[in-house]
Amino acid sequence: MKRLDAYEQQTPNWTRVEMLLAAFEGVMERLRQAQELVAAGQNWKAQPFLLRAQRIVLELYSGLDLRHGEVPDNMGKLYLFVLHSIGMGEALNIPAALDVLGIIRDGLNSIRDTANELEHRGQVPHAPFQTHILQDVAG
């Protein structure tokens, strides 16, 4: 049984912030794995981890609703910086990408309880269950 099958067998009860945190943890784990391989001079072995990380960041980027002003616009710029740093730019800079992702993840963790409470009370719409994001994270 695949790891994702466990999620599909039960009714999903993920909040927006929990899905975002899972995505951030997934991309950061892949980047740490890639960083170890690059440090060992095995860039070719790092490529699958970098590609998976890029895919997760692209999913995060595609989920932004730019109609909501400055915050999603700034998040988009940060995601583009991360993509540039992990292989879509001229030079690989995994530590910079990890730093930016870590700051965002820590910020999300700091509002986790409040965000979950607002969603459970219906003050923030429930997130549609995004199995493709979890597939990228679990895969």
Side-chain angles (χ1 to χ4, degrees):
M1 173 161 72
K2 292 182 181 178
R3 290 181 278 172
L4 186 60
D5 291 341
Y7 296 111
E8 292 177 344
Q9 290 176 356
Q10 48 188 289
T11 303
N13 195 20
W14 288 69
T15 61
R16 290 176 188 276
V17 73
E18 298 299 335
M19 277 195 289
L20 285 169
L21 286 167
F24 276 88
E25 290 301 327
V27 72
M28 292 176 73
E29 177 59 29
R30 277 149 188 88
L31 290 177
R32 285 189 286 270
Q33 291 171 318
Q35 188 174 27
E36 287 178 23
L37 292 165
V38 168
Q42 298 178 326
N43 291 18
W44 60 276
K45 283 187 177 181
Q47 286 304 312
F49 295 107
L50 292 169
L51 290 171
R52 183 66 69 144
Q54 290 169 4
R55 188 170 165 184
I56 297 169
V57 174
L58 285 169
E59 286 290 340
L60 290 166
Y61 185 84
S62 73
L64 294 174
D65 188 346
L66 299 176
R67 296 174 298 172
H68 294 285
E70 193 174 320
V71 172
D73 184 53
N74 288 337
M75 290 299 296
K77 290 174 184 171
L78 291 171
Y79 292 149
L80 290 174
F81 172 81
V82 169
L83 288 168
H84 183 82
S85 298
I86 62 174
M88 295 179 121
E90 294 175 15
L92 192 60
N93 192 346
I94 297 173
L98 283 167
D99 286 346
V100 168
L101 292 168
I103 291 168
I104 299 168
R105 183 213 45 217
D106 293 348
L108 288 171
N109 265 323
S110 73
I111 64 162
R112 179 185 219 160
D113 293 338
T114 303
N116 283 331
E117 182 62 29
L118 290 171
E119 192 166 331
H120 288 302
R121 280 197 255 149
Q123 292 175 290
V124 173
H126 290 289
F129 189 61
Q130 306 285 329
T131 57
H132 62 282
I133 292 173
L134 293 177
Q135 286 171 340
D136 285 338
V137 172

